Short mmCIF file of all heavy atoms in Angstrom, two decimals:
data_model
loop_
_atom_site.label_atom_id
_atom_site.label_comp_id
_atom_site.label_asym_id
_atom_site.label_seq_id
_atom_site.Cartn_x
_atom_site.Cartn_y
_atom_site.Cartn_z
N ASN H 158 -21.73 -20.27 7.57
CA ASN H 158 -21.32 -19.62 6.28
C ASN H 158 -22.24 -20.01 5.16
O ASN H 158 -22.03 -21.09 4.62
CB ASN H 158 -19.85 -19.97 6.04
CG ASN H 158 -18.93 -19.39 7.09
OD1 ASN H 158 -18.99 -18.28 7.39
ND2 ASN H 158 -18.14 -20.32 7.67
N HIS H 176 -26.10 -13.20 -0.94
CA HIS H 176 -24.62 -13.15 -1.18
C HIS H 176 -23.97 -14.19 -0.30
O HIS H 176 -24.31 -14.30 0.92
CB HIS H 176 -24.10 -11.75 -0.84
CG HIS H 176 -22.78 -11.50 -1.45
ND1 HIS H 176 -21.56 -12.08 -0.93
CD2 HIS H 176 -22.30 -10.71 -2.41
CE1 HIS H 176 -20.52 -11.66 -1.61
NE2 HIS H 176 -20.95 -10.83 -2.57
N TYR H 177 -23.06 -14.99 -0.84
CA TYR H 177 -22.39 -16.02 0.03
C TYR H 177 -21.68 -15.30 1.19
O TYR H 177 -21.38 -14.09 1.09
CB TYR H 177 -21.50 -16.86 -0.85
CG TYR H 177 -20.05 -16.32 -0.93
CD1 TYR H 177 -19.07 -16.66 -0.09
CD2 TYR H 177 -19.75 -15.44 -1.98
CE1 TYR H 177 -17.76 -16.14 -0.14
CE2 TYR H 177 -18.45 -14.92 -2.09
CZ TYR H 177 -17.44 -15.24 -1.18
OH TYR H 177 -16.23 -14.82 -1.30
N LEU H 178 -21.36 -16.09 2.22
CA LEU H 178 -20.73 -15.52 3.37
C LEU H 178 -19.63 -16.37 3.86
O LEU H 178 -19.81 -17.66 3.91
CB LEU H 178 -21.85 -15.49 4.43
CG LEU H 178 -21.52 -14.90 5.77
CD1 LEU H 178 -21.22 -13.42 5.65
CD2 LEU H 178 -22.67 -15.14 6.77
N LEU H 179 -18.54 -15.83 4.26
CA LEU H 179 -17.42 -16.63 4.92
C LEU H 179 -16.81 -15.77 6.03
O LEU H 179 -16.35 -14.74 5.81
CB LEU H 179 -16.35 -17.01 3.87
CG LEU H 179 -15.43 -18.12 4.22
CD1 LEU H 179 -14.55 -17.82 5.33
CD2 LEU H 179 -16.14 -19.45 4.58
N VAL H 180 -16.99 -16.33 7.18
CA VAL H 180 -16.55 -15.67 8.44
C VAL H 180 -15.73 -16.67 9.20
O VAL H 180 -16.16 -17.70 9.58
CB VAL H 180 -17.74 -15.29 9.34
CG1 VAL H 180 -17.25 -14.66 10.68
CG2 VAL H 180 -18.63 -14.27 8.58
N HIS H 181 -14.32 -16.42 9.31
CA HIS H 181 -13.41 -17.31 9.94
C HIS H 181 -13.74 -17.50 11.42
O HIS H 181 -13.77 -18.57 12.06
CB HIS H 181 -12.04 -16.92 9.85
CG HIS H 181 -11.45 -17.27 8.50
ND1 HIS H 181 -11.83 -16.61 7.33
CD2 HIS H 181 -10.55 -18.18 8.12
CE1 HIS H 181 -11.11 -17.11 6.25
NE2 HIS H 181 -10.32 -17.99 6.73
N PHE H 182 -13.98 -16.35 12.15
CA PHE H 182 -14.10 -16.31 13.60
C PHE H 182 -15.51 -15.89 13.96
O PHE H 182 -16.34 -16.58 13.56
CB PHE H 182 -12.97 -15.48 14.21
CG PHE H 182 -11.55 -15.84 13.68
CD1 PHE H 182 -10.66 -14.96 13.21
CD2 PHE H 182 -11.18 -17.19 13.69
CE1 PHE H 182 -9.39 -15.33 12.68
CE2 PHE H 182 -9.96 -17.63 13.19
CZ PHE H 182 -9.04 -16.64 12.67
N LEU H 223 -17.16 -11.59 -6.08
CA LEU H 223 -16.27 -12.22 -5.06
C LEU H 223 -16.53 -13.72 -5.09
O LEU H 223 -17.68 -14.17 -5.24
CB LEU H 223 -16.72 -11.75 -3.66
CG LEU H 223 -16.14 -10.39 -3.17
CD1 LEU H 223 -16.49 -10.25 -1.73
CD2 LEU H 223 -14.66 -10.23 -3.38
N GLU H 224 -15.40 -14.50 -4.99
CA GLU H 224 -15.53 -15.93 -4.88
C GLU H 224 -14.57 -16.40 -3.82
O GLU H 224 -13.45 -15.96 -3.75
CB GLU H 224 -15.24 -16.62 -6.21
CG GLU H 224 -15.35 -18.19 -6.13
CD GLU H 224 -15.15 -18.81 -7.47
OE1 GLU H 224 -14.39 -18.27 -8.32
OE2 GLU H 224 -15.56 -19.98 -7.59
N CYS H 225 -15.03 -17.38 -2.98
CA CYS H 225 -14.19 -17.91 -1.98
C CYS H 225 -13.22 -18.84 -2.71
O CYS H 225 -13.65 -19.59 -3.52
CB CYS H 225 -14.95 -18.70 -0.93
SG CYS H 225 -13.99 -19.36 0.39
N ALA H 226 -11.95 -18.87 -2.27
CA ALA H 226 -10.96 -19.74 -2.92
C ALA H 226 -11.21 -21.19 -2.68
O ALA H 226 -10.77 -22.03 -3.49
CB ALA H 226 -9.51 -19.40 -2.37
N TRP H 242 -17.61 -26.27 0.73
CA TRP H 242 -18.32 -25.68 -0.45
C TRP H 242 -18.40 -26.62 -1.59
O TRP H 242 -17.46 -27.33 -1.87
CB TRP H 242 -17.57 -24.45 -0.95
CG TRP H 242 -17.36 -23.23 -0.06
CD1 TRP H 242 -16.19 -22.68 0.28
CD2 TRP H 242 -18.37 -22.38 0.52
NE1 TRP H 242 -16.41 -21.52 1.02
CE2 TRP H 242 -17.69 -21.34 1.20
CE3 TRP H 242 -19.73 -22.37 0.45
CZ2 TRP H 242 -18.36 -20.31 1.85
CZ3 TRP H 242 -20.39 -21.36 1.13
CH2 TRP H 242 -19.78 -20.36 1.80
N ALA H 246 -20.10 -20.66 -3.37
CA ALA H 246 -19.35 -19.59 -2.71
C ALA H 246 -18.93 -18.44 -3.71
O ALA H 246 -17.71 -18.14 -3.86
CB ALA H 246 -18.17 -20.15 -1.98
N SER H 248 -20.52 -14.67 -5.59
CA SER H 248 -21.75 -13.68 -5.72
C SER H 248 -21.13 -12.44 -6.22
O SER H 248 -19.93 -12.23 -6.23
CB SER H 248 -22.30 -13.41 -4.36
OG SER H 248 -22.84 -14.59 -3.69
N TRP H 252 -20.35 -2.38 -4.72
CA TRP H 252 -19.67 -1.95 -3.60
C TRP H 252 -19.37 -0.45 -3.70
O TRP H 252 -18.90 0.03 -4.78
CB TRP H 252 -18.35 -2.63 -3.36
CG TRP H 252 -18.49 -4.15 -3.21
CD1 TRP H 252 -18.37 -5.05 -4.19
CD2 TRP H 252 -18.89 -4.86 -1.99
NE1 TRP H 252 -18.60 -6.34 -3.64
CE2 TRP H 252 -18.88 -6.19 -2.37
CE3 TRP H 252 -19.20 -4.46 -0.73
CZ2 TRP H 252 -19.20 -7.19 -1.41
CZ3 TRP H 252 -19.39 -5.44 0.28
CH2 TRP H 252 -19.53 -6.81 -0.11
N THR H 276 -5.64 -5.44 8.52
CA THR H 276 -6.08 -6.19 9.71
C THR H 276 -7.58 -5.93 9.97
O THR H 276 -8.06 -4.82 9.93
CB THR H 276 -5.23 -5.64 10.95
OG1 THR H 276 -3.89 -5.97 10.71
CG2 THR H 276 -5.65 -6.41 12.23
N GLY H 277 -8.31 -7.03 10.24
CA GLY H 277 -9.69 -7.00 10.61
C GLY H 277 -9.82 -6.98 12.09
O GLY H 277 -8.92 -7.36 12.89
N ARG H 278 -10.97 -6.60 12.60
CA ARG H 278 -11.27 -6.52 14.02
C ARG H 278 -11.51 -7.92 14.64
O ARG H 278 -11.44 -8.07 15.82
CB ARG H 278 -12.53 -5.62 14.21
CG ARG H 278 -13.24 -5.65 15.57
CD ARG H 278 -12.50 -5.15 16.69
NE ARG H 278 -12.19 -3.69 16.56
CZ ARG H 278 -13.01 -2.66 16.91
NH1 ARG H 278 -14.18 -2.96 17.42
NH2 ARG H 278 -12.60 -1.46 16.80
N ASP H 279 -11.77 -8.90 13.82
CA ASP H 279 -12.19 -10.22 14.26
C ASP H 279 -10.95 -11.04 14.71
O ASP H 279 -9.96 -11.17 13.95
CB ASP H 279 -13.02 -10.98 13.25
CG ASP H 279 -12.36 -10.98 11.87
OD1 ASP H 279 -11.67 -10.07 11.44
OD2 ASP H 279 -12.52 -12.00 11.18
N TYR H 290 -7.75 -11.54 11.91
CA TYR H 290 -7.74 -11.87 10.49
C TYR H 290 -6.84 -10.80 9.72
O TYR H 290 -7.24 -9.63 9.72
CB TYR H 290 -9.11 -11.97 9.89
CG TYR H 290 -9.11 -12.48 8.52
CD1 TYR H 290 -9.22 -13.88 8.24
CD2 TYR H 290 -9.04 -11.56 7.41
CE1 TYR H 290 -9.11 -14.32 6.99
CE2 TYR H 290 -9.02 -12.09 6.13
CZ TYR H 290 -9.07 -13.44 5.97
OH TYR H 290 -9.02 -13.90 4.62
N GLN H 291 -5.86 -11.34 9.10
CA GLN H 291 -4.92 -10.40 8.44
C GLN H 291 -4.52 -10.99 7.01
O GLN H 291 -4.16 -12.12 6.97
CB GLN H 291 -3.61 -10.19 9.26
CG GLN H 291 -3.82 -9.37 10.46
CD GLN H 291 -2.56 -9.20 11.24
OE1 GLN H 291 -1.86 -10.20 11.48
NE2 GLN H 291 -2.27 -7.93 11.60
N MET H 310 -22.85 -1.73 0.44
CA MET H 310 -23.06 -2.92 -0.41
C MET H 310 -24.38 -2.82 -0.98
O MET H 310 -25.38 -2.72 -0.18
CB MET H 310 -22.87 -4.20 0.46
CG MET H 310 -23.10 -5.52 -0.27
SD MET H 310 -22.94 -6.80 0.97
CE MET H 310 -23.05 -8.25 -0.12
N GLN H 318 -22.38 -8.92 8.90
CA GLN H 318 -21.59 -10.16 8.58
C GLN H 318 -20.65 -9.92 7.25
O GLN H 318 -19.76 -10.70 7.04
CB GLN H 318 -22.52 -11.34 8.28
CG GLN H 318 -23.45 -11.27 7.14
CD GLN H 318 -24.73 -10.41 7.36
OE1 GLN H 318 -24.83 -9.75 8.30
NE2 GLN H 318 -25.68 -10.61 6.47
N HIS H 319 -21.00 -8.84 6.47
CA HIS H 319 -20.28 -8.58 5.32
C HIS H 319 -19.13 -7.51 5.65
O HIS H 319 -18.64 -6.97 4.64
CB HIS H 319 -21.17 -8.18 4.19
CG HIS H 319 -21.91 -9.30 3.65
ND1 HIS H 319 -21.34 -10.42 3.02
CD2 HIS H 319 -23.32 -9.49 3.61
CE1 HIS H 319 -22.32 -11.30 2.69
NE2 HIS H 319 -23.50 -10.76 3.07
N GLY H 320 -18.90 -7.11 6.93
CA GLY H 320 -17.76 -6.23 7.26
C GLY H 320 -18.10 -4.90 7.84
O GLY H 320 -17.26 -4.05 7.93
N ARG H 324 -14.75 -2.35 4.91
CA ARG H 324 -14.03 -3.52 4.50
C ARG H 324 -13.15 -3.19 3.24
O ARG H 324 -13.49 -2.14 2.53
CB ARG H 324 -14.92 -4.64 4.09
CG ARG H 324 -15.65 -4.54 2.75
CD ARG H 324 -16.44 -5.72 2.38
NE ARG H 324 -15.65 -6.97 2.23
CZ ARG H 324 -16.25 -8.14 2.09
NH1 ARG H 324 -17.52 -8.29 2.03
NH2 ARG H 324 -15.41 -9.22 1.94
N LEU H 325 -12.20 -3.99 3.03
CA LEU H 325 -11.37 -3.93 1.78
C LEU H 325 -12.21 -4.75 0.69
O LEU H 325 -12.77 -5.78 1.01
CB LEU H 325 -10.10 -4.46 2.05
CG LEU H 325 -9.00 -4.40 0.93
CD1 LEU H 325 -8.61 -2.95 0.77
CD2 LEU H 325 -7.73 -5.20 1.39
N TYR H 331 -9.41 -13.77 -5.18
CA TYR H 331 -10.28 -14.65 -4.33
C TYR H 331 -10.64 -13.87 -3.09
O TYR H 331 -9.83 -12.97 -2.62
CB TYR H 331 -9.63 -15.93 -4.03
CG TYR H 331 -9.79 -16.92 -5.12
CD1 TYR H 331 -8.72 -17.54 -5.81
CD2 TYR H 331 -11.08 -17.44 -5.59
CE1 TYR H 331 -8.82 -18.43 -6.86
CE2 TYR H 331 -11.22 -18.36 -6.52
CZ TYR H 331 -10.18 -18.86 -7.18
OH TYR H 331 -10.34 -19.82 -8.15
N GLY H 332 -11.79 -14.22 -2.47
CA GLY H 332 -12.37 -13.43 -1.49
C GLY H 332 -11.58 -13.17 -0.18
O GLY H 332 -11.75 -12.13 0.48
N MET H 333 -10.65 -14.04 0.13
CA MET H 333 -9.86 -13.95 1.38
C MET H 333 -9.11 -12.62 1.49
O MET H 333 -8.78 -12.11 2.56
CB MET H 333 -8.87 -15.12 1.65
CG MET H 333 -7.70 -15.08 0.66
SD MET H 333 -8.07 -15.70 -0.99
CE MET H 333 -6.58 -15.35 -1.87
N THR H 334 -8.83 -12.05 0.27
CA THR H 334 -8.04 -10.76 0.19
C THR H 334 -8.93 -9.57 0.69
O THR H 334 -8.31 -8.58 1.11
CB THR H 334 -7.58 -10.63 -1.21
OG1 THR H 334 -7.16 -11.84 -1.71
CG2 THR H 334 -6.45 -9.59 -1.37
N SER H 335 -10.21 -9.66 0.57
CA SER H 335 -11.08 -8.56 0.86
C SER H 335 -11.45 -8.46 2.28
O SER H 335 -12.45 -8.93 2.72
CB SER H 335 -12.34 -8.62 -0.04
OG SER H 335 -12.01 -8.49 -1.42
N VAL H 336 -10.49 -8.05 3.16
CA VAL H 336 -10.53 -8.03 4.59
C VAL H 336 -11.74 -7.25 5.09
O VAL H 336 -11.81 -6.09 4.76
CB VAL H 336 -9.22 -7.53 5.16
CG1 VAL H 336 -9.34 -7.46 6.72
CG2 VAL H 336 -8.06 -8.45 4.75
N LYS H 337 -12.53 -7.90 5.96
CA LYS H 337 -13.73 -7.24 6.46
C LYS H 337 -13.35 -6.60 7.84
O LYS H 337 -12.27 -6.89 8.39
CB LYS H 337 -14.82 -8.29 6.65
CG LYS H 337 -15.25 -8.93 5.35
CD LYS H 337 -16.52 -9.82 5.43
CE LYS H 337 -16.27 -11.21 5.83
NZ LYS H 337 -17.50 -12.04 5.64
N TRP H 338 -14.24 -5.64 8.33
CA TRP H 338 -14.10 -5.07 9.64
C TRP H 338 -12.64 -4.47 9.71
O TRP H 338 -11.89 -4.65 10.74
CB TRP H 338 -14.32 -6.08 10.78
CG TRP H 338 -15.58 -6.85 10.57
CD1 TRP H 338 -16.87 -6.27 10.56
CD2 TRP H 338 -15.71 -8.24 10.27
NE1 TRP H 338 -17.78 -7.32 10.32
CE2 TRP H 338 -17.11 -8.51 10.06
CE3 TRP H 338 -14.78 -9.34 10.06
CZ2 TRP H 338 -17.62 -9.80 9.76
CZ3 TRP H 338 -15.30 -10.55 9.74
CH2 TRP H 338 -16.66 -10.82 9.59
N LEU H 339 -12.34 -3.71 8.70
CA LEU H 339 -10.94 -3.30 8.59
C LEU H 339 -10.58 -2.15 9.55
O LEU H 339 -11.35 -1.10 9.61
CB LEU H 339 -10.79 -2.73 7.17
CG LEU H 339 -9.40 -2.25 6.72
CD1 LEU H 339 -8.42 -3.46 6.61
CD2 LEU H 339 -9.44 -1.56 5.40
N TYR H 358 -4.43 -20.68 2.21
CA TYR H 358 -4.47 -20.13 0.89
C TYR H 358 -3.26 -20.36 0.01
O TYR H 358 -2.61 -19.41 -0.49
CB TYR H 358 -4.79 -18.57 0.95
CG TYR H 358 -6.16 -18.38 1.69
CD1 TYR H 358 -6.20 -17.86 2.93
CD2 TYR H 358 -7.32 -18.79 1.05
CE1 TYR H 358 -7.41 -17.74 3.64
CE2 TYR H 358 -8.53 -18.64 1.72
CZ TYR H 358 -8.51 -18.16 2.99
OH TYR H 358 -9.75 -18.02 3.64
N1 MTE A 528 -11.81 -9.86 8.79
C1 MTE A 528 -12.17 -10.87 7.93
N2 MTE A 528 -12.20 -10.66 6.62
C2 MTE A 528 -12.61 -11.60 5.80
C3 MTE A 528 -12.80 -12.92 6.24
C4 MTE A 528 -12.82 -13.19 7.61
O1 MTE A 528 -13.15 -14.21 8.19
N3 MTE A 528 -12.42 -12.10 8.41
N4 MTE A 528 -13.09 -13.95 5.38
C5 MTE A 528 -12.55 -13.73 4.00
C6 MTE A 528 -13.03 -14.75 3.05
S1 MTE A 528 -12.20 -16.23 3.16
C7 MTE A 528 -13.90 -14.49 2.05
S2 MTE A 528 -14.23 -15.62 0.87
C8 MTE A 528 -14.60 -13.16 2.02
C9 MTE A 528 -16.09 -13.35 2.01
O2 MTE A 528 -16.83 -12.14 2.04
P1 MTE A 528 -18.36 -12.14 2.23
O3 MTE A 528 -18.63 -12.90 3.52
O4 MTE A 528 -18.72 -10.69 2.34
O5 MTE A 528 -18.96 -12.74 1.10
O6 MTE A 528 -14.23 -12.35 3.09
C10 MTE A 528 -12.90 -12.37 3.44
N5 MTE A 528 -12.63 -11.35 4.49
#
Side-chain angles (χ1 to χ4, degrees):
N158 296 308
H176 195 287
Y177 88 92
L178 182 68
L179 198 291
V180 176
H181 282 69
F182 307 132
L223 281 187
E224 182 177 22
C225 182
W242 297 122
S248 301
W252 301 98
T276 302
R278 163 70 62 85
D279 51 328
Y290 186 87
Q291 288 181 308
M310 176 183 187
Q318 70 278 16
H319 290 297
R324 78 176 299 172
L325 186 66
Y331 278 118
M333 72 284 170
T334 317
S335 292
V336 176
K337 302 192 271 192
W338 312 294
L339 187 67
Y358 300 107

